[in-house]
Amino acid sequence: MIRKVLILGNHIQALGLARQIYQCGCEVILYTDSLYSITRYSKAVKQCFIFEDEADLMGKILKNAGDIKESLLFPTNDKLVAFLSSNYQTLSQKFFIGIPEPAIVNIFANKRNTYKFAEENNIPIPESHFPDSLESLEAISWNLQYPLIIKPAVMYEFHQIFGKKAYKCNNRCELMEKATLISERIPVDQLIIQEFLDGGAKSLYSYGTFCVDGKTVASLMANRIRQNPMDFGNSTTYAVTCNIPEIELQAEKILKLVSYFGLAEVEFMYDQKTDQYKFLEINTRAWKWHSISNGLGFSFIGKMLNYFNFNDTSEIKNFDLHIAWIERLTDTSVILKELLKGNNIMNEVLKSFRTKKVSAVWSSRDILPSIMYLLLSPILFFKRH
């Protein structure tokens, strides 16, 4: 029986999880490497530990391991997924682990593995190339269709270095120039050269789910309409639920193929040229806007706890109720930036005012995180930039 959940990570994902876990009657313990975590101010969090590095985190976690296995470890970002995966055998002896087994994590943590898996199983993806060196990239560069993007196989390392998720290249010269620059820090065999899909954030969709052995236990779909920044976003700022059968079909096919266990955000982008929803990646953890499920009457982490505690795999799917999730502070800045660029998004913004919403941070029953988010926002902004 799980009595405690140890959340590894920070910020809005962690806040949403903490509140949901608290509602389920479990004790919440937060482990974060940030002094500026807004989650630590939530009344849902009983204890908060600040860790310096992975060795420190491991030591602090093991100190919380009791004689009885009654705690769940759950990560909020890819780096901490990697930490749990690399220590899976050791930690699973003392804790329940809220991610897939390492072999499955490896398929989706490294996007080269992800796209090769997709190609082998006839899952539509953007056209992708996997050069092993600058020389092999130059050899194929003459035959590529532009514009295209350079993206990493492993995102968190790339983003930590460059502060970007991808680079857009409009021609061959830009491709080789940017690839050469990137190769000074990241080996070329860790990069992906990929077709650029036009349409922006409005063409981004996700299938969010909790799965057991590839069977979906709780599911929803959303169109991630706004993100920050709008071109290659680090985070969603406004998402609204939707119902697209093609996405459901493809997402569930992928999850069944690997007998997936855990939470998953299966990401797609609509390709106007082929009229297809092309598979991009899977986040093997809680994603930023997961708490949109509050407006649909369930929580993904709650369904996971019910599975561990009561072997409950009863299915809940809600694709019909129209509801949105918003991180209001950042979303406002995104809207202002788009208007300053001359992009007319006012119709879309006005439409969003009329949609029922779940707030990323605000809760009348847990006010302090919202106050601290406002007070800490200047520091958080400069830390991200």
Side-chain angles (χ1 to χ4, degrees), residues 4 36 46 62 70 122 128 130 146 149 181 228 243 253 307-308 349 370 372 382:
K4 300 178 185 178
Y36 307 107
K46 184 172 182 179
L62 291 175
E70 61 177 8
N122 299 313
S128 302
F130 314 103
Y146 297 90
I149 62 171
L181 175 68
N228 182 41
N243 186 357
K253 175 183 176 180
Y307 166 72
F308 278 125
V349 172
S370 303
M372 295 309 298
F382 286 110

Side-chain angles (χ1 to χ4, degrees), residues 36 375-384:
Y36 307 107
L375 294 176
L376 293 172
S377 58
I379 297 172
L380 295 171
F381 175 84
F382 286 110
K383 281 179 69 68
R384 291 172 196 159

Side-chain angles (χ1 to χ4, degrees), residues 344-373:
N344 185 8
I345 62 168
M346 284 312 299
N347 287 338
E348 175 190 298
V349 172
L350 291 172
K351 183 180 178 182
S352 71
F353 286 150
R354 299 189 293 271
T355 305
K356 182 181 176 182
K357 299 176 188 65
V358 172
S359 174
V361 179
W362 169 254
S363 169
S364 60
R365 292 177 292 182
D366 189 26
I367 296 174
L368 191 53
S370 303
I371 296 170
M372 295 309 298
Y373 191 37

Side-chain angles (χ1 to χ4, degrees), residues 228-337:
N228 182 41
M230 281 289 276
D231 51 0
F232 301 113
N234 303 322
S235 62
T236 300
T237 63
Y238 182 79
V240 62
T241 54
C242 61
N243 186 357
I244 301 172
E246 184 181 337
I247 288 177
E248 179 184 9
L249 185 68
Q250 291 293 347
E252 294 189 358
K253 175 183 176 180
I254 294 165
L255 297 164
K256 286 176 184 174
L257 281 168
V258 296
S259 296
Y260 191 92
F261 171 83
L263 272 64
E265 181 192 14
V266 192
E267 297 188 16
F268 296 86
M269 189 164 187
Y270 178 66
D271 182 0
Q272 299 173 4
K273 299 188 295 293
T274 62
D275 190 27
Q276 286 181 307
Y277 294 88
K278 292 187 173 177
F279 171 53
L280 298 180
E281 63 179 308
I282 291 184
N283 289 315
T284 56
R285 50 168 170 81
W287 51 100
K288 189 178 179 186
W289 54 273
H290 71 89
S291 58
I292 196 172
S293 65
N294 292 342
L296 303 175
F298 70 93
S299 70
F300 292 108
I301 192 71
K303 293 294 283 183
M304 177 180 280
L305 290 170
N306 283 344
Y307 166 72
F308 278 125
N309 287 339
F310 309 112
N311 199 30
D312 178 13
T313 57
S314 58
E315 189 176 40
I316 179 168
K317 287 186 176 183
N318 198 326
F319 299 148
D320 297 320
L321 187 62
H322 196 64
I323 195 164
W325 176 96
I326 188 167
E327 185 196 351
R328 198 171 297 278
L329 189 63
T330 311
D331 191 56
T332 300
S333 72
V334 168
I335 291 168
L336 292 175
K337 287 175 190 174

Side-chain angles (χ1 to χ4, degrees), residues 67-332:
D67 296 330
I68 300 172
K69 189 174 176 180
E70 61 177 8
S71 299
L72 169 68
L73 293 175
F74 198 88
T76 63
N77 62 51
D78 292 338
K79 189 173 183 179
L80 289 166
V81 170
F83 165 78
L84 285 182
S85 187
S86 61
N87 294 285
Y88 194 91
Q89 291 304 116
T90 299
L91 291 172
S92 62
Q93 301 301 311
K94 297 178 179 293
F95 300 93
F96 295 94
I97 310 293
I99 63 168
E101 293 185 352
I104 306 305
V105 169
N106 188 48
I107 293 173
F108 301 114
N110 186 309
K111 302 306 181 290
R112 283 194 169 209
N113 296 341
T114 304
Y115 292 127
K116 289 172 183 177
F117 161 83
E119 287 175 339
E120 290 167 2
N121 290 284
N122 299 313
I123 297 160
I125 59 171
E127 182 180 333
S128 302
H129 302 271
F130 314 103
D132 295 323
S133 63
L134 284 173
E135 291 74 21
S136 64
L137 175 58
E138 185 171 19
I140 66 170
S141 65
W142 301 95
N143 300 316
L144 298 174
Q145 295 293 314
Y146 297 90
L148 49 72
I149 62 171
I150 304 174
K151 63 190 287 187
V154 179
M155 181 58 69
Y156 66 85
E157 295 174 350
F158 186 93
H159 187 266
Q160 195 171 32
I161 294 170
F162 298 105
K164 292 179 177 290
K165 290 185 71 174
Y167 283 93
K168 183 180 177 183
C169 304
N170 293 302
N171 53 57
R172 181 185 171 277
C173 289
E174 283 188 14
L175 171 64
M176 295 310 301
E177 179 183 334
K178 288 175 180 174
T180 301
L181 175 68
I182 294 167
S183 69
E184 294 174 1
R185 305 291 299 277
I186 300 281
V188 174
D189 64 5
Q190 294 181 24
L191 302 177
I192 298 167
I193 309 304
Q194 193 169 80
E195 170 189 11
F196 175 76
L197 299 182
D198 204 1
K202 288 187 290 186
S203 297
L204 289 171
Y205 296 83
S206 287
Y207 183 91
T209 187
F210 166 57
C211 269
V212 175
D213 296 330
K215 175 185 180 294
T216 56
V217 176
S219 305
L220 58 80
M221 271 183 269
N223 182 194
R224 293 163 24 233
I225 292 172
R226 291 192 292 275
Q227 60 180 353
N228 182 41
M230 281 289 276
D231 51 0
F232 301 113
N234 303 322
S235 62
T236 300
T237 63
Y238 182 79
V240 62
T241 54
C242 61
N243 186 357
I244 301 172
E246 184 181 337
I247 288 177
E248 179 184 9
L249 185 68
Q250 291 293 347
E252 294 189 358
K253 175 183 176 180
I254 294 165
L255 297 164
K256 286 176 184 174
L257 281 168
V258 296
S259 296
Y260 191 92
F261 171 83
L263 272 64
E265 181 192 14
V266 192
E267 297 188 16
F268 296 86
M269 189 164 187
Y270 178 66
D271 182 0
Q272 299 173 4
K273 299 188 295 293
T274 62
D275 190 27
Q276 286 181 307
Y277 294 88
K278 292 187 173 177
F279 171 53
L280 298 180
E281 63 179 308
I282 291 184
N283 289 315
T284 56
R285 50 168 170 81
W287 51 100
K288 189 178 179 186
W289 54 273
H290 71 89
S291 58
I292 196 172
S293 65
N294 292 342
L296 303 175
F298 70 93
S299 70
F300 292 108
I301 192 71
K303 293 294 283 183
M304 177 180 280
L305 290 170
N306 283 344
Y307 166 72
F308 278 125
N309 287 339
F310 309 112
N311 199 30
D312 178 13
T313 57
S314 58
E315 189 176 40
I316 179 168
K317 287 186 176 183
N318 198 326
F319 299 148
D320 297 320
L321 187 62
H322 196 64
I323 195 164
W325 176 96
I326 188 167
E327 185 196 351
R328 198 171 297 278
L329 189 63
T330 311
D331 191 56
T332 300

